[in-house]
Structures are given as structure tokens and as C-alpha cells.
Amino acid sequence: FFSSRRRHTRYWRDWSSDVCSSDLINQLNKSKTAILLLAYRRSSHLLKIIDSCAQAGYIEIFVVVDRPKKNDYLAIKDSKKVREAFEQISSSQTIKFNFRFNSYNAGCAVSMIKGCDWVFSRSFENIIVLEDDCVPTKAFFSFIENKLEFIRSQTDIWLICGTQLVPSNLTQGKSIISKYPLSWGWATTSQKWSKIKEAFSPNRNLWLQDLVSTKAEKAFWSAGKRRALLGFTDVWDTAVVSLMMDRNKYAILPPLHLVSNLGNDEFATNVTRDSIWTQNANEPNSLPNTGTLFNPSVDEWIKHNIYKIGFRHVLSTKITLILDFIFRKKRMRFKNSLPTRLSIYENNQTDSALY
């Protein structure tokens, strides 16, 4: 069924009625769902992001603001603007805000992972994760609400994503089951999160796993996981994708692009100004109830056009591995691994008041 030789479109287990439009269920989901907003230096989009959450009917937002690096005076100035923006926004909103201002520069990966843990420790069943460069549309929230109940009973689906960059002739106006979670604006359940977190566990075999990967895609994601977990990069999604592929787990992508990624500004760390990730979102009045598809051609398009995975990665990842091993002290972004940094954060962080 999942063979790459089969290029025709199939219904995902004949789930043609997975979208429920009941207002009662949507409202119930909102009471069980919290928003996690990750912020660092961008203040200009915060009001628009929070307004969209409020208009969608969500009642509680958890905010994690990372601390700027020492002696980075521009970042310190920008961080002050972020705090001032939250002071102004929170005083004019009916949403309940929970703030956590990191006591040191923890980085994006740690802030996201421990932010999710924080939300689920407050007994919420679902989480929607946004970053300070992700502006969601109204349709994004309705899409998430409709899919949360759907994935709860589906053990093979871990994430719901709001990003869709694949051409419409391949998506055919339908939600897509994909092995690639496009993680600019996403959601999951507490049960799924407990599985996803296993991607960040200590692993003594990372170097060996990277070395013996001989297929292009396996090599690409194995290298990404190794570099993320050992502290060479400040990302979390490569480790998650690697785990999902190993366990044959999937994400749901929307029929349309529902989150504007504005992260190609001067604060960007992983996105360039002309990146494919920075498309403006579509703003339909509503999403059609057209079912959910598994179409291998979509994953092939993502593989070749977004991640640009090819045979060269079998060799290039080994070169990177050798350079990382020889010059690791110079090439590592952090002195500790991601699992160690998560443990350090746990022991040094408390919730913060805004004022």
C-alpha cells in the first residue's frame, strides 16, 4: 500500500467522513486545547497572532519567551520590545495568559519541547504550537479542531500541520496523509506527544547510525537527528521526522496553506528571504469537507522540492559526520547535547509573571 511504485491516489483507510463540523464538538475541543506561543525577538506580529487565537475562541495561551544571549545588545533591545508588546496585549485581551521567560538562552528546540511539557502538565488534552513568525488564518483553527478528534483514535497519525506547500494538482483540494510534518503551525494530543518525545531521548549510537546509513533519505534524516541531538543545530523537527519514519507514523497536511510564515526577516536563523517556506497563507471562508487522502506523489514532491533529498546526501552526510567528529568543539552550537539541555532546563526554570 505504501510502496513508492504506486503513484495513484488512494483514500486513507476509506476515512471519507473524518471531518466533523459540529459546533458543539469544536467548542469542547477548545476547552481542552491550549495555544503554545514561542517568542524570542519578533514583536511586530504578536498582536496579530494572538488576535487570531482570540477570534477563534481559544481561552488560554501559554507563552515561552527565550532570553537573549549575553552581550548581544540588539537581541536584548528586541527582547525588551517583546515583553512590552505582551504587557500591552495581555491587558486588552480576555484570554488567560501564562508566561514563562527563560532564565537563560535555552534555544528554540528546548523552548518548544519544554513548552509542550508545560502545557500538558496543566491537564490539557491538546496543544496548538505557533511561533512568533507564524500568523494563522481562521481556517487554520477550524482545520485543527476538525482533525483533533480524528487523530485521537488513529495510532498511525501523530501530528496535524497547517502548512501546505505542495501544488494543488497533487493535493486535489483534500487533506493529505504525509510522512513529512511541515511544522510551521501544528497541533497534537497529549497521548501523541508522549510518543513524539521519545525522539529526544539519549542515544549512544547516533554516530554509528549516521555512518551506516546508505540510502539517501535515511542518511539525510539520520544526519539531521544526530546533529540536533548532539548540539550541532538548534532544531527539533529532524529528530521527530526520523523517529516517525522509523515507526511508520504520519502527519496530516491541510488542503491549502493556512499559516503565513514571516520568518525570513533579519531575525531568521533557518529560513532565507527567498525560501519556499515563506509563502503567504490562503484565507478561504471555510475548508471543504472533502476527506483525507494518502497520495505518494505528494511525499515525492516534498522530498525533491522542499528538502531536495538526493543521492548526493549519501556522501555529503558522511563528509559532514567526519568534519563534525574532528572539529566538534568548533562546530557544535551548544556544549551539551539536547537531552542534557532539556534536563538542565528542567532544573533551572520556573513559571514567570509578566509584570
Side-chain angles (χ1 to χ4, degrees):
F1 178 59
F2 294 109
S3 171
S4 60
R5 294 180 181 179
R6 303 185 71 172
R7 292 288 180 257
H8 59 281
T9 299
R10 294 280 303 270
Y11 277 91
W12 177 262
R13 297 182 180 174
D14 198 28
W15 290 327
S16 58
S17 60
D18 56 274
V19 178
C20 176
S21 60
S22 167
D23 291 339
L24 180 61
I25 291 180
N26 286 345
Q27 194 59 42
L28 184 61
N29 278 338
K30 288 173 183 174
S31 67
K32 298 177 180 178
T33 303
I35 308 289
L36 173 65
L37 176 56
L38 304 172
Y40 181 40
R41 296 178 62 179
R42 296 182 179 93
S43 59
S44 57
H45 309 307
L46 294 177
L47 178 58
K48 191 171 184 179
I49 295 170
I50 292 172
D51 274 347
S52 67
C53 297
Q55 291 172 14
Y58 291 93
I59 60 176
E60 193 156 2
I61 294 180
F62 290 74
V63 179
V64 177
V65 182
D66 204 12
R67 191 179 185 90
K69 298 176 182 179
K70 294 180 179 179
N71 302 322
D72 188 341
Y73 299 109
L74 286 177
I76 293 171
K77 182 179 179 180
D78 294 329
S79 181
K80 183 179 179 181
K81 291 181 180 178
V82 169
R83 193 181 186 104
E84 291 172 348
F86 277 123
E87 289 177 355
Q88 181 178 3
I89 293 168
S90 61
S91 64
S92 61
Q93 294 280 350
T94 58
I95 292 178
K96 178 182 177 182
F97 284 86
N98 305 276
F99 289 96
R100 175 175 285 180
F101 292 88
N102 290 345
S103 57
Y104 62 96
N105 183 251
C108 176
V110 169
S111 295
M112 192 285 299
I113 296 166
K114 300 311 294 186
C116 290
D117 286 345
W118 180 31
V119 170
F120 286 127
S121 72
R122 298 293 184 88
S123 301
F124 284 95
E125 295 182 12
N126 312 307
I127 189 171
I128 298 173
V129 182
L130 298 168
E131 299 178 51
D132 58 8
D133 58 354
C134 298
V135 179
T137 63
K138 182 178 180 180
F140 166 79
F141 294 105
S142 62
F143 175 74
I144 294 295
E145 292 159 8
N146 287 330
K147 296 300 182 185
L148 279 170
E149 286 300 319
F150 172 59
I151 72 165
R152 191 176 300 281
S153 60
Q154 309 303 329
T155 58
D156 292 338
I157 303 178
W158 279 4
L159 293 170
I160 310 166
C161 304
T163 298
Q164 180 56 277
L165 306 175
V166 179
S168 58
N169 65 304
L170 293 178
T171 61
Q172 302 175 34
K174 301 180 185 297
S175 302
I176 299 295
I177 300 294
S178 174
K179 63 182 179 181
Y180 299 110
L182 305 180
S183 55
W184 267 266
W186 58 276
T188 193
T189 68
S190 59
Q191 183 182 25
K192 310 291 183 180
W193 178 245
S194 66
K195 302 294 184 182
I196 293 169
K197 280 180 60 178
E198 295 177 24
F200 315 120
S201 301
N203 187 338
R204 296 182 179 181
N205 298 319
L206 290 170
W207 293 98
L208 179 61
Q209 291 172 356
D210 195 355
L211 180 64
V212 301
S213 299
T214 57
K215 293 184 178 181
E217 184 151 51
K218 180 67 175 178
F220 180 88
W221 294 110
S222 181
K225 176 179 71 173
R226 174 187 62 80
R227 304 196 85 234
L229 292 184
L230 294 181
F232 289 93
T233 59
D234 185 19
V235 298
W236 57 273
D237 52 343
T238 52
V240 171
V241 176
S242 180
L243 179 66
M244 291 175 67
M245 288 188 174
D246 287 344
R247 299 189 181 180
N248 294 318
K249 304 303 179 183
Y250 299 87
I252 299 181
L253 308 182
L256 300 171
H257 189 41
L258 303 178
V259 178
S260 292
N261 179 5
L262 306 177
N264 60 343
D265 53 18
E266 68 271 25
F267 307 125
T269 56
N270 297 312
V271 177
T272 60
R273 290 189 179 273
D274 59 349
S275 172
I276 190 174
W277 295 101
T278 56
Q279 295 182 19
N280 289 327
N282 301 110
E283 183 59 282
N285 292 327
S286 61
L287 289 177
N289 183 356
T290 53
T292 303
L293 293 178
F294 174 76
N295 183 353
S297 297
V298 171
D299 279 351
E300 283 296 306
W301 192 95
I302 293 173
K303 174 182 176 180
H304 294 295
N305 293 275
I306 295 181
Y307 297 112
K308 303 184 185 302
I309 299 173
F311 182 75
R312 71 185 187 281
H313 286 106
V314 176
L315 178 61
S316 65
T317 55
K318 304 304 179 289
I319 295 174
T320 300
L321 182 146
I322 293 170
L323 293 175
D324 283 348
F325 186 79
I326 296 174
F327 303 108
R328 55 186 176 275
K329 289 186 178 180
K330 292 183 178 180
R331 292 167 68 92
M332 288 178 68
R333 186 166 179 173
F334 301 94
K335 66 179 182 180
N336 293 312
S337 68
L338 178 56
T340 299
R341 300 199 316 273
L342 291 171
S343 179
I344 292 172
Y345 186 94
E346 187 73 29
N347 296 327
N348 288 275
Q349 191 61 54
T350 58
D351 296 358
S352 309
L354 180 58
Y355 298 104

